[in-house]
Amino acid sequence: MIALQGTLQELQKQGLLDTIMYLCGVSGATWCMSALYKQGDWAEKMETVKQLICDALTKSTWSLPKAMQMLLEAAKDENYSLTDFWAYTIIYGMLHELDKSHLSEHRGAAESGNNPYPIYAAVDERSFCKATEYSPATWFEFTPHEASFLGYRASVPMELFGSEFKKGELKNQKEEKILSYLYGLWGSCIGSKEENERFIIELFHNFFKRKMKTSEPFRATADSSAVDLGRMLAKTSYDILHWKWGTTNNFLYKCSGVQAPELVNDKVVSLVDAGIAINCAYPLVLRPERKVQLILSFDYGPGDPFKTLKQAVTYCKDNCIPFPEVDEKLLEDTENPSDCYIFRGEGAPTVMHFPLFNKVNCPGYVTEWRILFTPVRFLYNEKDIHKLLHTASLNVSNNKDKILEEIKHIVARSRKKAGS
């Protein structure tokens, strides 16, 4: 979230943000994106938006009554899952905000022409377990306009995501999912099931231990009673036992013409953090109809800074999608990478890959900085936020000329083809 903010701020400062058509994100990057698009003209006031995000992460407060109220309300839905619990405890605790607005409300900011078009990723957990990360059937995308199964070219308007469909017809329209829930869905835990299960159980116990000890009341409503609390406790316990995440109504249920019997026979699907598949949004931007010619791949993941790039190569080979050849000899130094790698290919988009920490922006301290700014760190002070923002921005400012060269090269190539 923080690193993407630093990247975008520097792109805007260097006059490069206007060149970007799509802004695609997975996991924590989606939190930055959705925070930006609440500001319709965010591309024109990056300093203001940066301060809003910093203040939210460091100065806002967390309210147990608000979290409890959200959990009790969410548990009334038959599709309550650990995503709800995660969203209204952990994500709320990290972002210090319960955002009840909706992704569809960002349409104006997405259509203005001043901002890149935002695309958010998730994966269908059941498809992932059967088809792996390299199948488009695994991937699910969200935009302010649509929620879509990537592999089936099937979508519904964003405000109908979560509503009940059968045979392609709307049967029961439900209220659109709020952004805080989507934060939890897009940024659900991505480690091993065993470690996360242990973490969730400990959090669950501590959360309610604190509730019993605190004298801080939560606002009661007519339905807010021991029955509501019991329902939520029972459902959360069940979901921990069955490891139930991101459960939502399947809009392809009993839909004809979709060659996926297991999918169309499932009344619900389970959507989780796309980071468990490929921790970068390559499958979204590589949809052929998007005709992307240059990909700026800013990698913020832990560990091997080339893992997502290698996964993208495999994804494209498996699905016959044009992608430049990647010389893996250039990717051998994972502990001390350079700040920019460029891969070109005939009939394929050019890919510029930028590892977050590298021998240019933190020489001699790559490993230390990876440890300091680990993705599982829950709290950042303002000093560290600004340090990370600056580090991410250097990958843009130090490579501005290279990015401009690639843009000019692509424009010249396009003119040459048009002339011939």
PDB file of all heavy atoms in Angstrom, residues 19-47:
ATOM      1  N   THR A  19       0.644   8.911 -18.879  1.00  0.00           N
ATOM      2  CA  THR A  19       0.863   7.919 -19.943  1.00  0.00           C
ATOM      3  C   THR A  19       0.237   6.567 -19.613  1.00  0.00           C
ATOM      4  O   THR A  19       0.197   5.687 -20.464  1.00  0.00           O
ATOM      5  CB  THR A  19       2.370   7.702 -20.192  1.00  0.00           C
ATOM      6  OG1 THR A  19       2.950   7.018 -19.067  1.00  0.00           O
ATOM      7  CG2 THR A  19       3.088   9.017 -20.404  1.00  0.00           C
ATOM      8  N   ILE A  20      -0.233   6.406 -18.383  1.00  0.00           N
ATOM      9  CA  ILE A  20      -0.690   5.089 -17.921  1.00  0.00           C
ATOM     10  C   ILE A  20      -2.185   4.920 -18.148  1.00  0.00           C
ATOM     11  O   ILE A  20      -2.992   5.751 -17.710  1.00  0.00           O
ATOM     12  CB  ILE A  20      -0.343   4.904 -16.432  1.00  0.00           C
ATOM     13  CG1 ILE A  20       1.188   4.925 -16.258  1.00  0.00           C
ATOM     14  CG2 ILE A  20      -0.913   3.604 -15.893  1.00  0.00           C
ATOM     15  CD1 ILE A  20       1.636   4.910 -14.824  1.00  0.00           C
ATOM     16  N   MET A  21      -2.534   3.826 -18.832  1.00  0.00           N
ATOM     17  CA  MET A  21      -3.940   3.543 -19.117  1.00  0.00           C
ATOM     18  C   MET A  21      -4.596   2.749 -17.990  1.00  0.00           C
ATOM     19  O   MET A  21      -5.726   3.043 -17.582  1.00  0.00           O
ATOM     20  CB  MET A  21      -4.049   2.762 -20.428  1.00  0.00           C
ATOM     21  CG  MET A  21      -5.474   2.369 -20.810  1.00  0.00           C
ATOM     22  SD  MET A  21      -6.482   3.792 -21.276  1.00  0.00           S
ATOM     23  CE  MET A  21      -5.809   4.133 -22.906  1.00  0.00           C
ATOM     24  N   TYR A  22      -3.909   1.713 -17.494  1.00  0.00           N
ATOM     25  CA  TYR A  22      -4.475   0.831 -16.472  1.00  0.00           C
ATOM     26  C   TYR A  22      -3.597   0.800 -15.233  1.00  0.00           C
ATOM     27  O   TYR A  22      -2.370   0.763 -15.329  1.00  0.00           O
ATOM     28  CB  TYR A  22      -4.610  -0.600 -17.006  1.00  0.00           C
ATOM     29  CG  TYR A  22      -5.471  -0.726 -18.231  1.00  0.00           C
ATOM     30  CD1 TYR A  22      -4.899  -1.001 -19.473  1.00  0.00           C
ATOM     31  CD2 TYR A  22      -6.858  -0.572 -18.161  1.00  0.00           C
ATOM     32  CE1 TYR A  22      -5.681  -1.126 -20.615  1.00  0.00           C
ATOM     33  CE2 TYR A  22      -7.645  -0.687 -19.293  1.00  0.00           C
ATOM     34  CZ  TYR A  22      -7.054  -0.961 -20.516  1.00  0.00           C
ATOM     35  OH  TYR A  22      -7.838  -1.070 -21.639  1.00  0.00           O
ATOM     36  N   LEU A  23      -4.240   0.793 -14.075  1.00  0.00           N
ATOM     37  CA  LEU A  23      -3.546   0.609 -12.807  1.00  0.00           C
ATOM     38  C   LEU A  23      -4.101  -0.666 -12.182  1.00  0.00           C
ATOM     39  O   LEU A  23      -5.262  -0.705 -11.759  1.00  0.00           O
ATOM     40  CB  LEU A  23      -3.779   1.810 -11.888  1.00  0.00           C
ATOM     41  CG  LEU A  23      -3.150   1.742 -10.493  1.00  0.00           C
ATOM     42  CD1 LEU A  23      -1.642   1.550 -10.572  1.00  0.00           C
ATOM     43  CD2 LEU A  23      -3.471   3.011  -9.701  1.00  0.00           C
ATOM     44  N   CYS A  24      -3.298  -1.726 -12.187  1.00  0.00           N
ATOM     45  CA  CYS A  24      -3.760  -3.035 -11.720  1.00  0.00           C
ATOM     46  C   CYS A  24      -3.038  -3.399 -10.427  1.00  0.00           C
ATOM     47  O   CYS A  24      -1.832  -3.165 -10.296  1.00  0.00           O
ATOM     48  CB  CYS A  24      -3.474  -4.107 -12.775  1.00  0.00           C
ATOM     49  SG  CYS A  24      -4.191  -3.764 -14.386  1.00  0.00           S
ATOM     50  N   GLY A  25      -3.768  -3.997  -9.486  1.00  0.00           N
ATOM     51  CA  GLY A  25      -3.147  -4.320  -8.211  1.00  0.00           C
ATOM     52  C   GLY A  25      -3.684  -5.579  -7.578  1.00  0.00           C
ATOM     53  O   GLY A  25      -4.810  -6.010  -7.849  1.00  0.00           O
ATOM     54  N   VAL A  26      -2.849  -6.183  -6.731  1.00  0.00           N
ATOM     55  CA  VAL A  26      -3.256  -7.305  -5.900  1.00  0.00           C
ATOM     56  C   VAL A  26      -2.908  -6.977  -4.457  1.00  0.00           C
ATOM     57  O   VAL A  26      -2.075  -6.120  -4.178  1.00  0.00           O
ATOM     58  CB  VAL A  26      -2.561  -8.630  -6.311  1.00  0.00           C
ATOM     59  CG1 VAL A  26      -2.756  -8.921  -7.783  1.00  0.00           C
ATOM     60  CG2 VAL A  26      -1.058  -8.598  -5.991  1.00  0.00           C
ATOM     61  N   SER A  27      -3.559  -7.651  -3.549  1.00  0.00           N
ATOM     62  CA  SER A  27      -3.243  -7.608  -2.120  1.00  0.00           C
ATOM     63  C   SER A  27      -3.186  -6.165  -1.602  1.00  0.00           C
ATOM     64  O   SER A  27      -4.065  -5.362  -1.875  1.00  0.00           O
ATOM     65  CB  SER A  27      -1.939  -8.366  -1.870  1.00  0.00           C
ATOM     66  OG  SER A  27      -1.857  -8.795  -0.533  1.00  0.00           O
ATOM     67  N   GLY A  28      -2.126  -5.803  -0.860  1.00  0.00           N
ATOM     68  CA  GLY A  28      -2.061  -4.495  -0.221  1.00  0.00           C
ATOM     69  C   GLY A  28      -2.089  -3.318  -1.177  1.00  0.00           C
ATOM     70  O   GLY A  28      -2.531  -2.227  -0.809  1.00  0.00           O
ATOM     71  N   ALA A  29      -1.618  -3.530  -2.421  1.00  0.00           N
ATOM     72  CA  ALA A  29      -1.657  -2.434  -3.394  1.00  0.00           C
ATOM     73  C   ALA A  29      -3.088  -1.981  -3.662  1.00  0.00           C
ATOM     74  O   ALA A  29      -3.331  -0.805  -3.956  1.00  0.00           O
ATOM     75  CB  ALA A  29      -0.991  -2.871  -4.696  1.00  0.00           C
ATOM     76  N   THR A  30      -4.048  -2.895  -3.539  1.00  0.00           N
ATOM     77  CA  THR A  30      -5.447  -2.529  -3.777  1.00  0.00           C
ATOM     78  C   THR A  30      -5.956  -1.555  -2.723  1.00  0.00           C
ATOM     79  O   THR A  30      -6.869  -0.775  -2.986  1.00  0.00           O
ATOM     80  CB  THR A  30      -6.353  -3.780  -3.793  1.00  0.00           C
ATOM     81  OG1 THR A  30      -6.336  -4.402  -2.499  1.00  0.00           O
ATOM     82  CG2 THR A  30      -5.896  -4.776  -4.844  1.00  0.00           C
ATOM     83  N   TRP A  31      -5.377  -1.597  -1.521  1.00  0.00           N
ATOM     84  CA  TRP A  31      -5.799  -0.661  -0.475  1.00  0.00           C
ATOM     85  C   TRP A  31      -5.412   0.758  -0.859  1.00  0.00           C
ATOM     86  O   TRP A  31      -6.173   1.705  -0.635  1.00  0.00           O
ATOM     87  CB  TRP A  31      -5.165  -1.020   0.871  1.00  0.00           C
ATOM     88  CG  TRP A  31      -5.476  -2.398   1.355  1.00  0.00           C
ATOM     89  CD1 TRP A  31      -6.434  -3.249   0.867  1.00  0.00           C
ATOM     90  CD2 TRP A  31      -4.824  -3.087   2.420  1.00  0.00           C
ATOM     91  NE1 TRP A  31      -6.411  -4.428   1.565  1.00  0.00           N
ATOM     92  CE2 TRP A  31      -5.441  -4.364   2.533  1.00  0.00           C
ATOM     93  CE3 TRP A  31      -3.795  -2.766   3.286  1.00  0.00           C
ATOM     94  CZ2 TRP A  31      -5.036  -5.301   3.478  1.00  0.00           C
ATOM     95  CZ3 TRP A  31      -3.399  -3.699   4.233  1.00  0.00           C
ATOM     96  CH2 TRP A  31      -4.013  -4.950   4.329  1.00  0.00           C
ATOM     97  N   CYS A  32      -4.213   0.906  -1.422  1.00  0.00           N
ATOM     98  CA  CYS A  32      -3.784   2.228  -1.892  1.00  0.00           C
ATOM     99  C   CYS A  32      -4.687   2.690  -3.030  1.00  0.00           C
ATOM    100  O   CYS A  32      -5.159   3.831  -3.030  1.00  0.00           O
ATOM    101  CB  CYS A  32      -2.334   2.161  -2.368  1.00  0.00           C
ATOM    102  SG  CYS A  32      -1.737   3.684  -3.143  1.00  0.00           S
ATOM    103  N   MET A  33      -4.937   1.818  -3.990  1.00  0.00           N
ATOM    104  CA  MET A  33      -5.737   2.182  -5.150  1.00  0.00           C
ATOM    105  C   MET A  33      -7.123   2.669  -4.744  1.00  0.00           C
ATOM    106  O   MET A  33      -7.579   3.725  -5.181  1.00  0.00           O
ATOM    107  CB  MET A  33      -5.847   0.987  -6.094  1.00  0.00           C
ATOM    108  CG  MET A  33      -4.547   0.608  -6.778  1.00  0.00           C
ATOM    109  SD  MET A  33      -4.618  -1.020  -7.580  1.00  0.00           S
ATOM    110  CE  MET A  33      -5.992  -0.796  -8.731  1.00  0.00           C
ATOM    111  N   SER A  34      -7.797   1.885  -3.913  1.00  0.00           N
ATOM    112  CA  SER A  34      -9.167   2.251  -3.547  1.00  0.00           C
ATOM    113  C   SER A  34      -9.207   3.521  -2.711  1.00  0.00           C
ATOM    114  O   SER A  34     -10.162   4.304  -2.796  1.00  0.00           O
ATOM    115  CB  SER A  34      -9.852   1.090  -2.813  1.00  0.00           C
ATOM    116  OG  SER A  34      -9.027   0.574  -1.795  1.00  0.00           O
ATOM    117  N   ALA A  35      -8.155   3.767  -1.916  1.00  0.00           N
ATOM    118  CA  ALA A  35      -8.087   5.018  -1.161  1.00  0.00           C
ATOM    119  C   ALA A  35      -7.933   6.211  -2.106  1.00  0.00           C
ATOM    120  O   ALA A  35      -8.520   7.270  -1.900  1.00  0.00           O
ATOM    121  CB  ALA A  35      -6.917   4.975  -0.175  1.00  0.00           C
ATOM    122  N   LEU A  36      -7.167   6.021  -3.177  1.00  0.00           N
ATOM    123  CA  LEU A  36      -6.954   7.092  -4.146  1.00  0.00           C
ATOM    124  C   LEU A  36      -8.234   7.449  -4.888  1.00  0.00           C
ATOM    125  O   LEU A  36      -8.575   8.623  -5.053  1.00  0.00           O
ATOM    126  CB  LEU A  36      -5.882   6.685  -5.158  1.00  0.00           C
ATOM    127  CG  LEU A  36      -4.445   6.585  -4.645  1.00  0.00           C
ATOM    128  CD1 LEU A  36      -3.556   5.985  -5.716  1.00  0.00           C
ATOM    129  CD2 LEU A  36      -3.925   7.950  -4.229  1.00  0.00           C
ATOM    130  N   TYR A  37      -8.971   6.425  -5.334  1.00  0.00           N
ATOM    131  CA  TYR A  37     -10.122   6.677  -6.211  1.00  0.00           C
ATOM    132  C   TYR A  37     -11.334   7.226  -5.465  1.00  0.00           C
ATOM    133  O   TYR A  37     -12.314   7.616  -6.092  1.00  0.00           O
ATOM    134  CB  TYR A  37     -10.471   5.418  -7.004  1.00  0.00           C
ATOM    135  CG  TYR A  37      -9.495   5.196  -8.142  1.00  0.00           C
ATOM    136  CD1 TYR A  37      -8.317   4.509  -7.928  1.00  0.00           C
ATOM    137  CD2 TYR A  37      -9.716   5.731  -9.412  1.00  0.00           C
ATOM    138  CE1 TYR A  37      -7.386   4.331  -8.952  1.00  0.00           C
ATOM    139  CE2 TYR A  37      -8.801   5.557 -10.438  1.00  0.00           C
ATOM    140  CZ  TYR A  37      -7.637   4.857 -10.188  1.00  0.00           C
ATOM    141  OH  TYR A  37      -6.724   4.710 -11.203  1.00  0.00           O
ATOM    142  N   LYS A  38     -11.236   7.293  -4.150  1.00  0.00           N
ATOM    143  CA  LYS A  38     -12.267   8.020  -3.413  1.00  0.00           C
ATOM    144  C   LYS A  38     -12.129   9.516  -3.647  1.00  0.00           C
ATOM    145  O   LYS A  38     -13.069  10.277  -3.465  1.00  0.00           O
ATOM    146  CB  LYS A  38     -12.164   7.701  -1.909  1.00  0.00           C
ATOM    147  CG  LYS A  38     -12.649   6.320  -1.546  1.00  0.00           C
ATOM    148  CD  LYS A  38     -12.792   6.139  -0.054  1.00  0.00           C
ATOM    149  CE  LYS A  38     -11.447   6.132   0.631  1.00  0.00           C
ATOM    150  NZ  LYS A  38     -11.569   5.859   2.090  1.00  0.00           N
ATOM    151  N   GLN A  39     -10.912   9.926  -4.050  1.00  0.00           N
ATOM    152  CA  GLN A  39     -10.645  11.319  -4.409  1.00  0.00           C
ATOM    153  C   GLN A  39     -10.721  11.414  -5.935  1.00  0.00           C
ATOM    154  O   GLN A  39      -9.828  10.907  -6.623  1.00  0.00           O
ATOM    155  CB  GLN A  39      -9.251  11.741  -3.938  1.00  0.00           C
ATOM    156  CG  GLN A  39      -8.933  11.348  -2.502  1.00  0.00           C
ATOM    157  CD  GLN A  39      -9.744  12.118  -1.497  1.00  0.00           C
ATOM    158  OE1 GLN A  39     -10.064  13.290  -1.712  1.00  0.00           O
ATOM    159  NE2 GLN A  39     -10.085  11.477  -0.389  1.00  0.00           N
ATOM    160  N   GLY A  40     -11.757  11.988  -6.462  1.00  0.00           N
ATOM    161  CA  GLY A  40     -11.979  11.965  -7.902  1.00  0.00           C
ATOM    162  C   GLY A  40     -10.820  12.478  -8.732  1.00  0.00           C
ATOM    163  O   GLY A  40     -10.529  11.964  -9.802  1.00  0.00           O
ATOM    164  N   ASP A  41     -10.111  13.485  -8.217  1.00  0.00           N
ATOM    165  CA  ASP A  41      -9.005  14.083  -8.970  1.00  0.00           C
ATOM    166  C   ASP A  41      -7.667  13.787  -8.308  1.00  0.00           C
ATOM    167  O   ASP A  41      -6.784  14.622  -8.248  1.00  0.00           O
ATOM    168  CB  ASP A  41      -9.195  15.593  -9.094  1.00  0.00           C
ATOM    169  CG  ASP A  41      -9.386  16.269  -7.732  1.00  0.00           C
ATOM    170  OD1 ASP A  41      -9.559  15.537  -6.729  1.00  0.00           O
ATOM    171  OD2 ASP A  41      -9.352  17.502  -7.671  1.00  0.00           O
ATOM    172  N   TRP A  42      -7.502  12.550  -7.805  1.00  0.00           N
ATOM    173  CA  TRP A  42      -6.321  12.217  -7.014  1.00  0.00           C
ATOM    174  C   TRP A  42      -5.009  12.427  -7.775  1.00  0.00           C
ATOM    175  O   TRP A  42      -3.992  12.796  -7.186  1.00  0.00           O
ATOM    176  CB  TRP A  42      -6.398  10.777  -6.493  1.00  0.00           C
ATOM    177  CG  TRP A  42      -6.358   9.689  -7.540  1.00  0.00           C
ATOM    178  CD1 TRP A  42      -7.427   9.060  -8.088  1.00  0.00           C
ATOM    179  CD2 TRP A  42      -5.192   9.091  -8.121  1.00  0.00           C
ATOM    180  NE1 TRP A  42      -7.017   8.102  -8.985  1.00  0.00           N
ATOM    181  CE2 TRP A  42      -5.646   8.094  -9.020  1.00  0.00           C
ATOM    182  CE3 TRP A  42      -3.818   9.279  -7.981  1.00  0.00           C
ATOM    183  CZ2 TRP A  42      -4.781   7.309  -9.772  1.00  0.00           C
ATOM    184  CZ3 TRP A  42      -2.942   8.486  -8.736  1.00  0.00           C
ATOM    185  CH2 TRP A  42      -3.425   7.524  -9.612  1.00  0.00           C
ATOM    186  N   ALA A  43      -5.011  12.198  -9.091  1.00  0.00           N
ATOM    187  CA  ALA A  43      -3.777  12.331  -9.866  1.00  0.00           C
ATOM    188  C   ALA A  43      -3.259  13.770  -9.865  1.00  0.00           C
ATOM    189  O   ALA A  43      -2.080  14.010 -10.139  1.00  0.00           O
ATOM    190  CB  ALA A  43      -3.995  11.860 -11.304  1.00  0.00           C
ATOM    191  N   GLU A  44      -4.138  14.717  -9.527  1.00  0.00           N
ATOM    192  CA  GLU A  44      -3.749  16.121  -9.543  1.00  0.00           C
ATOM    193  C   GLU A  44      -3.399  16.657  -8.158  1.00  0.00           C
ATOM    194  O   GLU A  44      -2.983  17.811  -8.022  1.00  0.00           O
ATOM    195  CB  GLU A  44      -4.886  16.957 -10.147  1.00  0.00           C
ATOM    196  CG  GLU A  44      -5.224  16.576 -11.583  1.00  0.00           C
ATOM    197  CD  GLU A  44      -6.468  17.286 -12.094  1.00  0.00           C
ATOM    198  OE1 GLU A  44      -6.982  18.146 -11.350  1.00  0.00           O
ATOM    199  OE2 GLU A  44      -6.908  16.985 -13.205  1.00  0.00           O
ATOM    200  N   LYS A  45      -3.583  15.847  -7.125  1.00  0.00           N
ATOM    201  CA  LYS A  45      -3.280  16.325  -5.764  1.00  0.00           C
ATOM    202  C   LYS A  45      -2.657  15.197  -4.928  1.00  0.00           C
ATOM    203  O   LYS A  45      -3.154  14.835  -3.876  1.00  0.00           O
ATOM    204  CB  LYS A  45      -4.542  16.864  -5.091  1.00  0.00           C
ATOM    205  CG  LYS A  45      -5.739  15.919  -5.081  1.00  0.00           C
ATOM    206  CD  LYS A  45      -6.922  16.590  -4.376  1.00  0.00           C
ATOM    207  CE  LYS A  45      -8.093  15.644  -4.247  1.00  0.00           C
ATOM    208  NZ  LYS A  45      -9.261  16.269  -3.597  1.00  0.00           N
ATOM    209  N   MET A  46      -1.542  14.689  -5.441  1.00  0.00           N
ATOM    210  CA  MET A  46      -0.886  13.558  -4.807  1.00  0.00           C
ATOM    211  C   MET A  46      -0.370  13.879  -3.409  1.00  0.00           C
ATOM    212  O   MET A  46      -0.389  13.027  -2.515  1.00  0.00           O
ATOM    213  CB  MET A  46       0.262  13.067  -5.691  1.00  0.00           C
ATOM    214  CG  MET A  46      -0.193  12.397  -6.980  1.00  0.00           C
ATOM    215  SD  MET A  46      -1.138  10.877  -6.692  1.00  0.00           S
ATOM    216  CE  MET A  46       0.132   9.779  -6.126  1.00  0.00           C
ATOM    217  N   GLU A  47       0.123  15.079  -3.190  1.00  0.00           N
ATOM    218  CA  GLU A  47       0.643  15.438  -1.865  1.00  0.00           C
ATOM    219  C   GLU A  47      -0.452  15.381  -0.808  1.00  0.00           C
ATOM    220  O   GLU A  47      -0.248  14.886   0.298  1.00  0.00           O
ATOM    221  CB  GLU A  47       1.271  16.833  -1.899  1.00  0.00           C
ATOM    222  CG  GLU A  47       2.702  16.867  -2.381  1.00  0.00           C
ATOM    223  CD  GLU A  47       3.661  16.106  -1.472  1.00  0.00           C
ATOM    224  OE1 GLU A  47       3.449  16.110  -0.240  1.00  0.00           O
ATOM    225  OE2 GLU A  47       4.623  15.513  -1.984  1.00  0.00           O
TER     226      GLU A  47
END
